[in-house]
């Protein structure tokens, strides 16, 4: 390595400057300035502003705003909100449970295959992961082509070939929700799978050996070793994917657009419509605050369930 | 039944499950491919023409010869790449500090940064839309890239930190003894050594940026500045039953770059993802 900054040979006036420079360089916080600036300008300030706007009557059309709690009361008391929250709850809960179970199942399967040195396990892992890199908008459009009730709809045309009556996947409210969940699970499972796969790999193999010596069945090994060891990973993953699903927007807007009626209008879509369709900036801000509060409560709720050891890391 | 025959039976069951799972994940993509290769007449035959009798690449020729469509692809790539590169530049010093300095409140700060990831982009876009309009940053790729950078920062800081954590400190100490300044060490030694980790973070963020929809959808108004993700959404809205085969081709073209990037660098990405997932 070449000498980069010779301490000697700097002229006197430069010495003071270089000691200042040293002080800056050795202070960890000066290294954090770029990140703090970016997050401050593009995250913290907008978040604070969302709280401020929630107490105004602001619109995107830009008239003078006054401070009021009327927007807050109007939105929280609106008859639509309970339905929207219920839709959101169903969508998020079903997606999260589906992604976790499916993700865990695939991770266990891949691990078993690898232990038995079966071929094709990496390929399986790759296939699952491909769905994850597909843009949310494309995800919605692709599934629309599968669920479509038009002649090119994949699922219905297969049903027709088997002489089964076609199903109204997207035009029936209940089915539309099921369709939205399926498409979301298709794209989201990969993340859970990779988290669980990494957690499974980290489990000490001697635990299983000891259990085998004690004559534990494979179900007992799964129940008493795998699951307890996976607890932290399952909890962390729950937080991450719950919040991800709560924020899901693109995949739903391109699959169902919130319909039929409002059957799949989740909170994020409702917020979007409030601001950018109805120009109701204040109302959208109230809903944004609601989204933030729900995320925060979820995160704290899950975090409190984490074992101490994990929390301190 | 002996242990070995039982395991053999389980092997078959594993394969059966693996095939079913693979089918579930691949069918949507094969369907997309099938539709995109059809002429209008064969669209109405649905699944009975899964392999089109008169396969045609006309749909691809149609979109790829459209200069605006190529423009959308380029916009998507440009925004994703600038977003990912900017993100690395901003997060690398912070990641270095988190990896190499010890100070009170460090883990709390790291958790705070991660907490921003819990905030939906929709929440920040509500007020940002107004500010960016005041600042004249609406409808500009610069403004959109800045928001991309901010959105992927939390994950990027954590990814780069774990990459720097893996570099032995002895090399930096040697340079320090040689009189290298702290920043010089960071720039000339730590970052080059962390290059594989930086590269995997770059690719991962590039792929995630490629999926960005909400930010460009709201902040860009000029059609020719839109990235591909928004363009295919707009196209889907304007298309009808007789142009679904073209939409399928457009979708596939939008999806393929992300898949190729992922396949080429799969090992790196999975490594970064699992490192981030286990720690984060």
């Amino acid at each position: 390595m070449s000498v980069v900054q010779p301490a000697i040979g700097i002229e006197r006036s430069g010495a003071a400057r270089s000691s200042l420079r040293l002080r800056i360089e050795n202070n960890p916080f000066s290294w954090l300035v770029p990140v703090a600036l970016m997050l401050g300008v593009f995250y913290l300030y907008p978040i604070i502003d969302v709280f401020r706007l929630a107490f105004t009557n602001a619109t995107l059309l830009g008239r003078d705003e006054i401070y009021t709690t009327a927007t807050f009361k109007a939105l929280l008391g609106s008859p639509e909100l309970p339905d929207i929250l219920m839709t959101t709850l169903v969508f998020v809960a079903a997606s999260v449970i589906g992604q976790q179970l499916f993700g865990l199942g695939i991770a266990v399967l891949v691990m078993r295959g690898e232990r038995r040195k079966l071929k094709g396990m990496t390929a399986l892992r790759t296939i699952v992961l491909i769905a994850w890199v597909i843009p949310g908008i494309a995800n919605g459009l692709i599934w629309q082509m599968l669920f479509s009730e038009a002649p090119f709809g994949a699922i219905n045309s297969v049903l027709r070939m088997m002489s089964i009556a076609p199903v109204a996947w997207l035009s029936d409210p209940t089915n539309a929700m099921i369709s939205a969940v399926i498409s979301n699970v298709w794209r989201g499972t990969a993340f859970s799978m990779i988290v669980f796969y990494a957690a499974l790999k980290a489990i000490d193999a001697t635990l299983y050996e000891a259990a085998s010596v004690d004559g534990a069945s494979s179900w007992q090994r799964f129940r008493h070793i795998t699951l307890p060891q996976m607890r932290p990973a399952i909890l962390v993953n729950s937080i991450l994917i719950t919040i991800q699903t709560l924020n899901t927007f693109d995949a739903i807007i391109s699959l169902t657009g919130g319909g039929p009626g409002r059957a799949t209008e989740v909170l994020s879509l409702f917020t979007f419509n409030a601001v950018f369709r109805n120009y109701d900036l204040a109302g959208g801000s109230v809903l944004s605050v609601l989204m933030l509060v729900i995320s925060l409560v979820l995160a704290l709720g899950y975090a409190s369930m984490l074992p101490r050891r994990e929390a301190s890391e | 039944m002996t242990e070995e025959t039982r395991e053999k039976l389980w092997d078959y069951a594993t394969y059966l499950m693996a095939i079913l799972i693979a089918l579930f994940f691949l069918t949507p993509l094969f369907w997309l491919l099938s539709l995109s290769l059809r002429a209008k007449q064969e669209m109405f035959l649905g699944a009975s023409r899964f392999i089109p009798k008169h396969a045609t690449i006309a749909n691809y020729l149609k979109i790829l010869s459209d200069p605006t469509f190529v423009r959308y692809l380029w916009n998507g790539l440009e925004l994703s790449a600038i977003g990912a590169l900017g993100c690395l530049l901003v997060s690398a010093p912070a990641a270095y500090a988190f990896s190499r300095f010890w100070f009170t409140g460090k883990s709390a700060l790291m958790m705070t940064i991660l907490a921003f990831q819990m905030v939906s982009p929709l929440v920040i876009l509500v007020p940002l839309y107004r500010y960016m309009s005041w600042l004249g940053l609406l409808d500009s790729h610069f403004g959109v890239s800045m928001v991309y950078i901010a959105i992927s920062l939390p994950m990027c800081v954590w990814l780069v930190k774990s990459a720097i954590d893996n570099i032995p400190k002895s090399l930096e100490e040697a340079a320090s003894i040689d009189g290298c300044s702290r920043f010089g060490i960071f720039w000339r030694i730590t970052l080059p050594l962390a290059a594989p980790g930086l590269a995997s973070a770059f690719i991962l963020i590039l792929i995630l940026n490629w999926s960005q929809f909400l930010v460009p959808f709201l902040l860009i108004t000029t059609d020719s500045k839109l990235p591909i993700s928004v363009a295919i959404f707009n196209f889907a809205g304007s298309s009808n039953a007789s142009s679904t085969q073209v939409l399928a081709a457009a979708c596939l073209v939008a999806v393929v770059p992300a898949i190729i990037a992922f396949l080429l660098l799969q090992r790196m990405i999975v490594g970064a993802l699992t490192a981030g997932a286990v720690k984060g």
Side-chain angles (χ1 to χ4, degrees):
Chain A
M1 285 298 153
S2 64
V3 177
V4 182
Q5 278 289 320
I8 41 168
I10 297 175
E11 54 175 307
R12 256 207 190 292
S13 61
R17 220 180 302 141
S18 86
S19 94
L20 177 68
R21 189 185 157 162
L22 267 179
R23 288 239 304 276
I24 292 173
E25 278 190 342
N26 287 318
N27 185 340
F29 294 102
S30 52
W31 294 77
L32 301 179
V33 168
V35 164
L37 270 177
M38 282 301 285
L39 290 182
V41 170
F42 289 101
Y43 261 107
L44 202 54
Y45 192 53
I47 291 173
I48 293 168
D49 209 40
V50 157
F51 277 89
R52 185 185 70 80
L53 287 167
F55 289 98
T56 65
N57 64 346
T59 70
L60 268 193
L61 304 172
R63 58 153 193 242
D64 287 340
E65 5 185 290
I66 48 164
Y67 285 90
T68 167
T69 54
T71 318
F72 230 103
K73 285 183 193 140
L75 257 164
L76 293 186
S78 84
E80 298 154 324
L81 193 62
D83 291 344
I84 300 289
L85 288 178
M86 197 58 209
T87 307
T88 312
L89 179 71
V90 171
F91 176 69
V92 173
S95 300
V96 168
I97 293 170
Q99 286 174 21
Q100 301 241 52
L101 286 180
F102 209 25
L104 184 60
I106 298 171
V108 169
L109 192 81
V110 170
M111 281 302 285
R112 182 182 189 281
E114 283 183 356
R115 182 171 54 81
R116 294 281 298 165
K117 299 197 168 55
L118 301 184
K119 285 199 182 84
M121 287 301 138
T122 315
L124 179 66
R125 205 183 65 186
T126 308
I127 288 168
V128 176
L129 279 165
I130 282 176
W132 183 72
V133 302
I134 287 175
I137 279 293
N139 176 47
L141 295 177
I142 293 171
W143 280 93
Q144 205 183 32
M145 293 175 201
L146 285 139
F147 285 127
S148 174
E149 290 148 37
F152 55 82
I155 301 174
N156 274 352
S157 66
V158 170
L159 291 181
R160 221 174 287 123
M161 276 162 71
M162 301 193 303
S163 313
I164 301 173
V167 177
W169 292 106
L170 296 172
S171 57
D172 174 81
T174 313
N175 288 344
M177 176 55 84
I178 295 172
S179 306
V181 169
I182 292 176
S183 73
N184 199 41
V185 167
W186 182 73
R187 181 161 179 254
T189 293
F191 185 80
S192 302
M193 188 265 294
I194 206 75
V195 170
F196 292 149
Y197 176 78
L200 282 172
K201 279 223 149 163
I203 298 176
D204 190 352
T206 54
L207 288 174
Y208 290 108
E209 283 159 25
S212 294
V213 171
D214 291 343
S217 70
S218 54
W219 167 249
Q220 283 171 325
R221 285 190 300 241
F222 182 74
R223 173 74 188 75
H224 295 289
I225 299 172
T226 312
L227 277 185
Q229 293 277 323
M230 297 277 285
R231 211 178 107 100
I234 291 173
L235 281 170
V236 167
N237 188 49
S238 303
I239 303 174
L240 293 176
I241 66 171
T242 306
I243 289 168
Q244 266 169 29
T245 314
L246 188 67
N247 297 341
T248 299
F249 172 85
D250 42 8
I252 285 206
I253 201 175
S254 60
L255 180 65
T256 66
R262 308 193 99 163
T264 53
E265 185 165 352
V266 289
L267 188 55
S268 59
L269 198 54
F270 188 52
T271 310
F272 172 82
N273 286 337
V275 181
F276 296 100
R277 289 246 164 88
N278 304 334
Y279 305 112
D280 183 3
L281 192 57
S285 300
V286 172
L287 293 169
S288 296
V289 168
L290 190 63
M291 273 174 75
L292 274 176
V293 170
I294 293 174
S295 302
L296 192 70
V297 168
L298 283 171
L300 289 177
Y302 283 124
S304 68
M305 289 191 282
L306 280 179
R308 255 179 189 274
R309 178 175 51 84
E310 280 290 315
S312 63
E313 266 171 13
Chain B
M1 199 160 37
T2 67
E3 182 70 17
E4 186 48 29
T5 46
R6 192 182 306 156
E7 289 275 303
K8 266 268 149 57
L9 279 176
W10 273 109
D11 286 351
Y12 292 123
T14 305
Y15 269 125
L16 183 67
M17 291 298 295
I19 289 168
L20 289 177
I21 293 165
L23 275 179
F24 174 68
F25 282 97
L26 285 178
T27 306
L29 293 174
F30 282 138
W31 187 249
L32 190 66
L33 181 66
S34 165
L35 291 184
S36 72
L37 291 173
R38 299 181 192 202
K40 214 181 287 178
Q41 306 84 296
E42 283 191 302
M43 290 297 288
F44 297 97
L45 295 167
S48 58
R49 278 293 169 84
F50 184 74
I51 297 168
K53 197 173 260 173
H54 308 289
T56 169
I57 56 164
N59 302 320
Y60 290 98
L61 290 179
K62 186 172 177 189
I63 52 167
L64 290 176
S65 63
D66 180 353
T68 24
F69 190 85
V70 177
R71 183 86 222 165
Y72 298 141
L73 280 172
W74 172 252
N75 290 342
L77 182 66
E78 185 199 306
L79 285 171
S80 308
I82 295 177
L85 197 66
C87 196
L88 277 184
L89 277 177
V90 174
S91 60
Y96 178 82
F98 284 135
S99 180
R100 294 300 193 237
F101 286 100
W102 272 260
F103 52 96
T104 44
K106 186 169 90 169
S107 61
L109 258 177
M110 288 186 66
M111 291 315 279
T112 310
I113 290 180
L114 202 62
F116 281 110
Q117 209 174 353
M118 310 276 169
V119 180
S120 163
L122 185 59
V123 171
I124 56 168
L125 277 166
V126 171
L128 266 185
Y129 180 82
R130 282 214 310 186
Y131 287 123
M132 301 198 68
S133 135
W134 282 342
L135 292 170
L137 285 176
L138 271 192
D139 207 25
S140 91
H141 277 188
F142 173 76
V144 171
S145 318
M146 294 301 269
V147 182
Y148 276 25
I149 293 174
I151 287 176
S152 35
L153 258 186
M155 194 181 72
C156 192
V157 170
W158 278 71
L159 285 176
V160 177
K161 180 196 174 274
S162 64
I164 295 179
D165 281 344
N166 289 334
I167 300 169
K169 245 178 271 166
S170 53
L171 289 162
E172 295 175 17
E173 281 156 5
S176 168
I177 290 165
D178 286 346
C180 193
S181 72
R182 193 115 206 187
F183 187 77
I185 292 172
F186 164 71
W187 191 247
R188 285 159 201 260
I189 294 164
T190 315
L191 284 189
L193 286 171
L198 295 175
S200 56
F202 177 80
I203 302 288
L204 189 57
I205 295 168
L206 190 78
I207 292 175
L208 294 177
N209 282 351
W210 184 259
S211 306
Q212 279 288 358
F213 170 73
L214 200 52
V215 181
F217 184 59
L218 293 180
L219 299 184
I220 294 179
T221 49
T222 309
D223 186 66
S224 64
K225 291 182 183 171
L226 289 173
I228 182 76
S229 54
V230 182
I232 54 168
F233 177 69
N234 291 344
F235 182 58
S238 67
S239 72
N240 47 42
S242 68
S243 59
T244 300
Q245 68 281 12
V246 185
L247 176 63
C251 257
L252 205 71
V253 172
V255 156
V256 160
I259 295 180
I260 291 177
F262 171 73
L263 289 180
L264 284 180
L265 299 150
Q266 196 197 156
R267 185 168 299 191
M268 277 163 91
I269 296 169
V270 172
L273 209 59
T274 48
V278 172
K279 283 171 190 157

